[in-house]
Amino acid sequence: MKKKYVIITGIVIFLGVFLVTSLKKTAPMEIENAPNWVSIEEARDMAADTGKLIMVDVYEVGCKYCRAMEREVYPDTTVRVVIDQGYIPVKLDGNSEEMVTFNGTTTTARDFARAKGAYAFPTVLVLDVNGDVVKKRTGFMNIDELRQFLYRNES
């Protein structure tokens, strides 16, 4: 009988350590040099004050390409310079039922994204202060592709 308790205790300890270790590895980690993401509501006000465009990263929680852009592309120093100089960055879950307000209209994040033409993920939208789509690109973009997409030719 004593041998059973020792074996069961050993298994419980092993599973406990395994569970704690696994949960630590799956916890979201802070990404260094990530853009200063703001809500779509804040972005509209900031764009009106600064004259910058709004860059919306429309993502989906389970999308591996969305996570790759978040980890590898957005934190790149050269991408950050382009974003910081000309854009107000926004992250928007394109499948979320979270309510968002833009220009006085309240809708779900999903409906907002779809109204702007974002049906697949990731999609990067560039909006003006009125919410009109200036540029749109769907799919993973590496550092150079995103920089070129965001580059604005101003006359």
Side-chain angles (χ1 to χ4, degrees), residues 2 10 20 23 27 29 31 33 35 46 67 78 87-88 94 97-98 106 111 115 121 142 146:
K2 189 176 177 184
V20 168
L23 289 176
M29 55 187 208
I31 297 173
N33 201 37
M46 293 169 72
R67 287 192 311 269
T78 59
Y87 298 92
I88 309 296
E97 293 298 320
E98 177 184 348
T106 301
D111 291 340
F121 311 106
N142 65 31
L146 182 61

Side-chain angles (χ1 to χ4, degrees), residues 58-61 92-97 109-110 113-114 119 121:
V58 184
Y59 70 97
E60 180 180 48
V61 172
L92 187 73
D93 182 349
N95 273 334
S96 174
E97 293 298 320
R110 173 186 296 156
R114 289 183 178 172
Y119 296 97
F121 311 106

Side-chain angles (χ1 to χ4, degrees), residues 34-95:
N36 301 319
W37 303 106
V38 298
S39 69
I40 192 74
E41 299 90 358
E42 292 175 87
R44 196 258 173 236
D45 296 337
M46 293 169 72
D49 293 342
T50 63
K52 293 181 178 182
L53 294 173
I54 302 167
M55 183 202 75
V56 183
D57 174 33
V58 184
Y59 70 97
E60 180 180 48
V61 172
C63 170
K64 76 177 188 175
Y65 298 108
C66 302
R67 287 192 311 269
M69 284 187 68
E70 181 179 16
R71 285 190 317 264
E72 301 164 14
V73 179
Y74 288 117
D76 179 75
T77 307
T78 59
V79 169
R80 280 297 309 278
V81 167
V82 173
I83 291 172
D84 292 345
Q85 286 180 352
Y87 298 92
I88 309 296
V90 174
K91 281 190 86 57
L92 187 73
D93 182 349
N95 273 334

Side-chain angles (χ1 to χ4, degrees), residues 92 107-119 125 127 131-133 136:
L92 187 73
T107 184
T108 64
R110 173 186 296 156
D111 291 340
F112 180 84
R114 289 183 178 172
K116 302 300 178 193
Y119 296 97
L125 302 169
L127 308 176
D132 297 324
V133 177
K136 177 183 92 167

